[in-house]
Amino acid sequence: MNLKDLYIDFFVSKGHKLIPSAPVVPENDPSVLFNTAGMQPLIPYLMGQPHPYGTRLVDYQKCIRTNDLDSIGDKTHHTFFEMLGNWSLGDYFKEESISYSFEFLTKVLNIPVNKLAVTVFKGDEEIPKDIESATIWQNLGINKIAYLGKDDNFWIAGESGPCGPDTEIFYFRSDDEVPDTFDPNDDRWVEIWNNVFMQYYKDNNGITDLPKKNVDTGMGLERVTAILEGVNDNYLSSVWIDVIKKIEEISNLKYAGNEKSMRIIADHIRTSVFILGDDAMIKPSNTDQGYILRRLIRRAIRHARNLNITNENWEIILANMIIDKYKKYYSELEKNKNIILEELTKEKNKFNKTLEKGLKEFEKIINNTDEILNKDLAFKLYDTYGFPIELTVELAKERNILVDVDGFKEKFKAHQELSRTSSSGKFKGGLAGDSEKEIKYHTATHLLNAALKIVVDKNVHQKGSNITAERMRFDFSCDHKLTDEEKLKIEELVNKWISEKIDVTVKEMSKEEAIKSGAECMFIDKYPDMVTVYSIGDISKELCGGPHVKNTSELGVFKIIKEEASSAGIRRIKAILE
Ligand code: SER
């Protein structure tokens, strides 16, 4: 049995309910492009909202991290990975959590006790030393314990949110004799599991207690599988080996000597399959998730060229293999199979059309370049040949030549006539800041939400929203395609409110009071106890962090540019303010 099944079975036998992986594109959180950890989709429940499946959960979560694309191609990094996790939402705490981990490792995976060591939080002025966890480990027979500080043994996703001290479990991966003492800096000890005791909430005002004490654990599936199978190259573990063999077959080459390109192809095609297969229906594009997807596919294509792969269906063969491998756990891959395959091929053909010429142009350019490839040429490669700037940088780096990326960005910005914030936001891969235009779109979103309730159905609810300086996008629950008449009425109503010059007011109140007053709210538990409620006359009242304009007259003319399906039962409107 594989690690994933063993893990799930074990925690189910301890009263945990298996919950499905959340989509890899966060459903209601425009502040990140992808889920990067198992805990991310569970934040509302760690904050106190009751989870429909109860207080003991187990899952495997699809995660994507693309901030370190350059390291893909080495033995251990992946853009997509699965994170196994077990969760206590105000149910058990340190004692059971640690005991479960110990039992799973020593009884199910049969790891000898002396090959295990742990780190615990050493304490600081804010949070006490975690003697309790250390004592529990000791009582179980683990004596290799190191106390470390906040950098190592305190876990938070980013700057704010639920957080707490953690205890990390290490495994001795070596044929050497296990040392008597544990040195966390000795790299024969590798971390395999992280148990976070989430009892705090951190924001700009400091650290406060969460309503309940939770447990969040995370185990990286590909990493731990490789460790347990005794291979130090993840791609040689059972998670990957069949894909690598397939690439050897397609390319007629051996893995040894071609590792980097083969790893990049395997990794990038798998991640692309999962992005395309997600119900968010991301397609290759030049913005946000779509841009990452485009970069991944194009980079895989370039490395397929490096290997001289001539099989015209290589991407289909690999994608099919990956879909078959994972569909038992992720049924969306089977459901969206046609889209995945079609889009991969479409993007491949699109890129292949110009790639050859682009590479020739690149050769010409690079041969006439001494140290730095200038912004005009980088832009030409982007604009004419579809080279993502990162690809140009990578190709140039192979010749020890730098690229004027800042200059490129400036040119790109001028070209797209994008506002300052949205363009830099996209390059960072994150959410753009609040420009004036975006603030207007925030307010327009509230008006649209209100208009939908009047024109379409009072039970229409917001399901997501994403704003850039160029447009607003709004997802809402609705069982039918909007008619032209409905769209027209919505536009008219929003524009009527804009022309009525209505004041937008904000009030601070307790969450309870806000709900009682009938304020609309999409994800109640992401909000602290005191909330801000924005009202637009008596047209709209929503719990919201803002910011908003002061008066609807500032908005301009509201226009729907597209209405389409987002996913089952969810429609999407794209609109602009002119
Ligand atoms: N949140 C922790 C991590 O990502 C444990 O799940 O490592």
Side-chain angles (χ1 to χ4, degrees):
M1 226 199 249
N2 63 41
L3 179 62
K4 182 154 55 184
D5 292 339
L6 289 170
Y7 189 94
I8 292 158
D9 286 0
F10 176 79
F11 282 100
V12 166
S13 82
K14 302 289 181 194
H16 293 63
K17 288 257 164 20
L18 173 64
I19 55 166
S21 172
V24 84
V25 176
E27 278 175 308
N28 282 319
D29 184 356
S31 66
V32 285
L33 292 178
F34 297 109
N35 273 317
T36 56
M39 57 81 70
Q40 225 156 322
L42 290 169
I43 290 175
Y45 311 104
L46 294 166
M47 300 284 292
Q49 180 180 327
H51 193 285
Y53 284 62
T55 55
R56 288 176 177 229
L57 311 174
V58 57
D59 69 359
Y60 45 95
Q61 173 62 42
K62 303 185 274 190
C63 299
I64 290 185
R65 293 185 188 173
T66 54
N67 47 354
D68 205 6
L69 264 191
D70 279 345
S71 60
I72 308 298
D74 70 9
K75 294 176 181 176
T76 54
H77 284 88
H78 310 298
T79 47
F80 168 91
F81 64 98
E82 294 176 271
M83 195 182 278
L84 303 172
N86 60 283
W87 312 85
S88 155
L89 302 171
D91 189 315
Y92 58 83
F93 204 45
K94 294 181 185 176
E95 178 83 43
E96 288 94 328
S97 169
I98 291 174
S99 304
Y100 288 153
S101 294
F102 182 82
E103 187 180 335
F104 180 69
L105 295 171
T106 60
K107 299 278 175 353
V108 179
L109 301 182
N110 294 318
I111 297 176
V113 175
N114 79 331
K115 284 200 154 200
L116 294 172
V118 300
T119 58
V120 294
F121 184 51
K122 77 172 180 194
D124 64 7
E125 59 291 338
E126 270 178 320
I127 291 155
K129 182 171 176 174
D130 192 4
I131 297 172
E132 191 186 346
S133 292
T135 311
I136 298 166
W137 282 118
Q138 264 163 349
N139 290 340
L140 289 166
I142 301 271
N143 293 311
K144 298 188 183 87
I145 300 176
Y147 285 93
L148 298 179
K150 258 210 175 114
D151 285 348
D152 294 290
N153 282 93
F154 191 88
W155 205 92
I156 182 162
E159 297 297 315
S160 62
C163 54
D166 65 13
T167 177
E168 297 188 1
I169 308 171
F170 289 72
Y171 171 75
F172 191 70
R173 176 176 60 183
S174 166
D175 293 332
D176 300 345
E177 201 174 317
V178 186
D180 289 337
T181 51
F182 168 48
D183 172 8
N185 293 320
D186 176 343
D187 58 18
R188 290 174 299 175
W189 288 101
V190 286
E191 190 215 320
I192 52 172
W193 204 347
N194 182 14
N195 295 22
V196 187
F197 303 117
M198 295 221 157
Q199 62 180 113
Y200 302 111
Y201 178 82
K202 183 171 176 243
D203 61 15
N204 288 341
N205 303 322
I207 288 194
T208 47
D209 284 337
L210 281 175
K212 285 178 184 153
K213 292 179 176 174
N214 311 295
V215 175
D216 146 30
T217 89
M219 184 190 265
L221 177 76
E222 335 344 66
R223 194 182 138 79
V224 174
T225 301
I227 292 169
L228 296 175
E229 291 177 0
V231 289
N232 71 356
D233 174 346
N234 287 4
Y235 294 86
L236 294 176
S237 82
S238 55
V239 173
W240 283 111
I241 192 69
D242 48 351
V243 179
I244 294 294
K245 287 216 171 101
K246 193 48 101 188
I247 300 176
E248 284 186 319
E249 191 188 309
I250 296 173
S251 64
N252 245 326
L253 291 169
K254 285 269 158 271
Y255 179 54
N258 295 295
E259 290 93 341
K260 186 172 177 197
S261 286
M262 290 202 185
R263 288 172 190 154
I264 289 176
I265 294 171
D267 175 90
H268 288 10
I269 293 292
R270 181 174 75 160
T271 306
S272 302
V273 163
F274 272 94
I275 297 176
L276 285 165
D278 207 66
D279 283 331
M281 295 286 155
I282 304 293
K283 305 273 165 66
S285 74
N286 285 335
T287 54
D288 305 330
Q289 290 97 341
Y291 183 59
I292 306 247
L293 175 61
R294 169 158 284 166
R295 278 167 62 191
L296 291 170
I297 300 175
R298 294 189 172 196
R299 194 159 180 247
I301 292 171
R302 193 176 70 82
H303 283 275
R305 262 186 80 91
N306 281 357
L307 298 181
N308 289 318
I309 291 182
T310 49
N311 188 317
E312 288 197 354
N313 291 321
W314 65 272
E315 82 286 1
I316 300 291
I317 296 170
L318 294 178
N320 265 323
M321 180 170 201
I322 288 162
I323 294 168
D324 282 345
K325 241 168 110 83
Y326 285 95
K327 65 185 182 196
K328 170 175 164 213
Y329 301 97
Y330 302 102
S331 57
E332 64 274 20
L333 297 184
E334 178 74 15
K335 189 174 80 181
N336 299 325
K337 183 171 172 169
N338 290 343
I339 295 175
I340 299 173
L341 300 179
E342 264 166 37
E343 288 295 329
L344 274 176
T345 303
K346 227 159 77 188
E347 182 67 11
K348 184 185 80 172
N349 291 341
K350 200 168 183 174
F351 190 42
N352 269 343
K353 254 193 211 149
T354 55
L355 180 62
E356 191 93 14
K357 284 195 208 120
L359 287 171
K360 278 204 191 113
E361 181 72 20
F362 177 82
E363 287 303 321
K364 251 200 304 193
I365 293 172
I366 216 79
N367 289 335
N368 290 316
T369 304
D370 286 335
E371 282 174 5
I372 297 185
L373 197 151
N374 77 42
K375 60 176 189 226
D376 298 325
L377 294 171
F379 190 75
K380 183 174 178 194
L381 286 168
Y382 169 81
D383 199 35
T384 315
Y385 303 104
F387 280 32
I389 182 68
E390 295 79 6
L391 176 58
T392 303
V393 171
E394 191 179 331
L395 285 166
K397 204 170 148 196
E398 289 168 7
R399 316 289 183 91
N400 286 325
I401 288 179
L402 296 171
V403 179
D404 178 8
V405 176
D406 289 342
F408 168 87
K409 284 185 190 173
E410 263 167 41
K411 235 189 124 80
F412 178 86
K413 192 169 65 183
H415 177 77
Q416 303 284 73
E417 291 178 347
L418 293 175
S419 77
R420 187 178 52 80
T421 43
S422 85
S423 142
S424 63
K426 259 163 219 161
F427 271 102
K428 280 197 262 100
L431 180 72
D434 291 310
S435 67
E436 260 175 51
K437 194 78 203 221
E438 285 162 285
I439 295 173
K440 289 180 187 171
Y441 279 126
H442 274 288
T443 309
T445 299
H446 286 211
L447 291 181
L448 172 60
N449 197 359
L452 282 165
K453 288 186 183 14
I454 294 173
V455 177
V456 181
D457 188 313
K458 66 177 189 322
N459 293 319
V460 165
H461 287 292
Q462 176 171 353
K463 288 292 170 195
S465 135
N466 175 288
I467 287 170
T468 71
E470 286 79 36
R471 54 111 183 102
M472 56 188 276
R473 197 180 79 194
F474 187 80
D475 292 351
F476 55 102
S477 54
C478 175
D479 60 4
H480 66 275
K481 183 175 167 58
L482 296 192
T483 62
D484 287 345
E485 202 193 336
E486 280 174 323
K487 283 189 278 188
L488 197 66
K489 272 196 186 151
I490 291 165
E491 280 179 350
E492 277 171 7
L493 199 51
V494 171
N495 285 320
K496 176 171 153 284
W497 290 330
I498 293 174
S499 70
E500 284 171 358
K501 299 187 171 61
I502 306 167
D503 277 340
V504 181
T505 53
V506 56
K507 241 192 188 162
E508 201 170 313
M509 57 182 88
S510 74
K511 198 151 66 175
E512 244 178 22
E513 206 182 326
I515 301 300
K516 252 196 233 145
S517 78
E520 169 100 2
C521 167
M522 194 171 49
F523 16 76
I524 182 80
D525 291 284
K526 278 205 181 164
Y527 288 94
D529 286 343
M530 287 304 285
V531 296
T532 46
V533 173
Y534 278 87
S535 301
I536 308 176
D538 52 14
I539 289 157
S540 148
K541 192 180 218 180
E542 288 193 32
L543 241 98
C544 175
H548 284 278
V549 300
K550 298 228 155 4
N551 188 286
T552 56
S553 61
E554 293 167 48
L555 297 188
V557 179
F558 173 84
K559 206 165 148 188
I560 294 176
I561 50 171
K562 203 167 189 184
E563 193 272 337
E564 61 190 347
S566 164
S567 55
I570 301 192
R571 306 290 304 176
R572 167 170 291 179
I573 282 181
K574 285 188 185 153
I576 53 171
L577 291 169
E578 286 178 333

